[in-house]
Amino acid sequence: MKKLRWAMDGAFWDLDISTPITVDGLARPIPGDTTIPLGLSRGIKLSRPKQIDFMQRFMAMPFVPSYSGDLDKGGNGFTFQRVLNLPLGENWFATMLGQFNVQKLVASMKQSSKQQPADSSWLKNLGKHFCDKSLYALGLCSEISIGPEDTLLLSSELSGGDKKTRRNKAIFHHKFPQHNLTAEAVWPGLFVDKHGTYWDVPFLMEVDLASVASNSGTSCHVCVHHNSGSPKQFDGDQIDQIPQGLLPGLSVKTALSFKKNVDIWRSKAGKLKMVQPFDVFLSDPHISASGCIGTVVTASLGGNPVRPQGEDVSQSIGGISFRGGPGNKSTILADLFATVSCTAQHGNFQRLFLDLTRLHARLDFPSGSKFLTGTTNLARDLYNSKPLDMQAVQAICPEITVSLQQQIFGEFSFRMDSKVALDIKSRESYGARIDDTVFAFEYALKVLGSAKAVAWYSTKQREAMVELRFFET
């Protein structure tokens, strides 16, 4: 799905993130707070009910499992989901998505078995547990095709138990010849910060206009974002300080970028005749590189002042910003960004064993002014024969994302996506650490050309899901 999105979305924009915390399986990163790993981004039109409906119809999966942390740590544990189609018309897709908490049922039965008398009816106790409303969650989704270019999605979900938060969403999509328009209203909106903490914002409204993604060329993106109400942590325990990006206010982000792809080497050897690749997008051995450079301008009005992408509030190096007076809560921030990536693939993904090995590495420079300032400071120190400023060295270090995919057997392959952070505190103490890793097993749906079912697990979030992906490279 990244192939269908804007050139810089995965590294610099607020893509939806897949998460089993909610019924519809979506959250979003806090604006300007963090980037997301490759394996968790979700396309804007592939809703959770559509995924489960496809897996039930064509993959013989009566229930779709997910995991979202241990129960004693505020998670939902192990759950099952199933969709029921509601036939309403040719251009009207309506579903009822039910979720059942298996781990909570097992924990409740174990607790009850210690308290119930030995002669109590096992069947009666089992029926009593199944009637517990806290085990269930329900989501209603209605998607209407207004015309060939317009789609309206309405959804509402309610979870049982202590977290009786009703989540509502309305999304309108319009397709222009060269741009995509999305208008969205969510109440409450679910966000996740860089530490993995989930936050609820009472009301979120967003209007997004983006160029249709292309392999090379110029792209533009405009987004109007409005938060209203006082944010609170999803689990109800207000421990951490509210992130600035979630405070009530209005922000407008505009970006312009240029992307260029270069083939360093591409195999000219023929493929196996009369054998269809398991994925047509992964059937050519090659080594390629791509670069993207652009500028982003963000203006905000309200309590959520913007700051450079990826900047720590403790650091003074940032973009060019203009702030209003003491009584004027307005901010304008302008900065540059750049990303460089390289992909190497061996194998045609046609044979049954080890016919696909794919490595992808991406370097992100989210703040050009921060990078230029750090480079200038280092050059001055070298020219004056002074010890290097470790803060300046840290400032020019990119954000690194590495992805490795290996075919195991036939349609099955293993994938690992990791974020690597360079930690340089002093000349004596430096190194690299893994900030987040997503492990995934993928099953290529050969009959569809380029589609796959993915079962992934995030080590940072302690979450796991089974999802459907189309046209993802």
Side-chain angles (χ1 to χ4, degrees), residues 98-323:
Q99 178 174 287
F100 179 73
N101 196 313
V102 180
Q103 188 168 340
K104 184 177 290 188
L105 172 65
V106 174
S108 177
M109 292 179 63
K110 288 182 178 180
Q111 182 67 23
S112 178
S113 63
K114 298 178 181 179
Q115 301 175 354
Q116 293 290 340
D119 57 348
S120 61
S121 172
W122 179 86
L123 185 61
K124 182 178 180 180
N125 291 334
L126 181 62
K128 181 180 179 181
H129 287 296
F130 271 98
C131 292
D132 185 0
K133 295 181 180 179
S134 65
L135 301 179
Y136 302 91
L138 183 65
L140 298 175
C141 179
S142 177
E143 186 171 339
I144 307 170
S145 296
I146 303 175
E149 311 295 342
D150 300 300
T151 304
L152 177 63
L153 184 145
L154 304 173
S155 66
S156 179
E157 68 176 63
L158 178 63
S159 301
D162 299 331
K163 302 175 183 178
K164 295 183 178 180
T165 301
R166 182 181 295 276
R167 298 185 180 276
N168 304 288
K169 182 181 297 184
I171 306 176
F172 174 75
H173 295 290
H174 178 76
K175 184 178 179 181
F176 292 102
Q178 299 296 330
H179 296 79
N180 291 322
L181 174 67
T182 302
E184 179 177 1
V186 184
W187 61 102
L190 183 66
F191 289 81
V192 59
D193 62 23
K194 60 185 177 181
H195 304 295
T197 303
Y198 287 98
W199 296 83
D200 272 329
V201 174
F203 182 78
L204 161 68
M205 179 173 287
E206 190 171 86
V207 179
D208 185 285
L209 180 65
S211 300
V212 176
S214 60
N215 289 330
S216 296
T218 304
S219 299
C220 63
H221 203 156
V222 180
C223 180
V224 181
H225 182 102
H226 173 66
N227 285 347
S228 178
S230 178
K232 61 179 181 180
Q233 285 188 213
F234 174 79
D235 57 11
D237 299 327
Q238 193 70 29
I239 301 176
D240 300 331
Q241 184 179 1
I242 298 176
Q244 287 187 340
L246 296 184
L247 296 177
L250 175 70
S251 66
V252 180
K253 181 186 289 187
T254 305
L256 181 67
S257 69
F258 177 79
K259 183 181 180 182
K260 180 65 176 178
N261 285 350
V262 178
D263 276 342
I264 301 174
W265 168 81
R266 187 168 293 270
S267 174
K268 296 182 180 180
K271 301 182 178 66
L272 296 178
K273 295 182 179 180
M274 306 301 293
V275 178
Q276 180 184 349
F278 296 110
D279 191 318
V280 295
F281 286 166
L282 301 177
S283 60
D284 293 321
H286 67 279
I287 299 175
S288 63
S290 66
C292 178
I293 187 170
T295 180
V296 58
V297 179
T298 308
S300 70
L301 178 63
N304 55 345
V306 294
R307 64 181 188 272
Q309 177 80 12
E311 180 190 10
D312 193 308
V313 294
S314 64
Q315 295 176 350
S316 59
I317 304 174
I320 302 174
S321 61
F322 301 92
R323 298 181 182 272

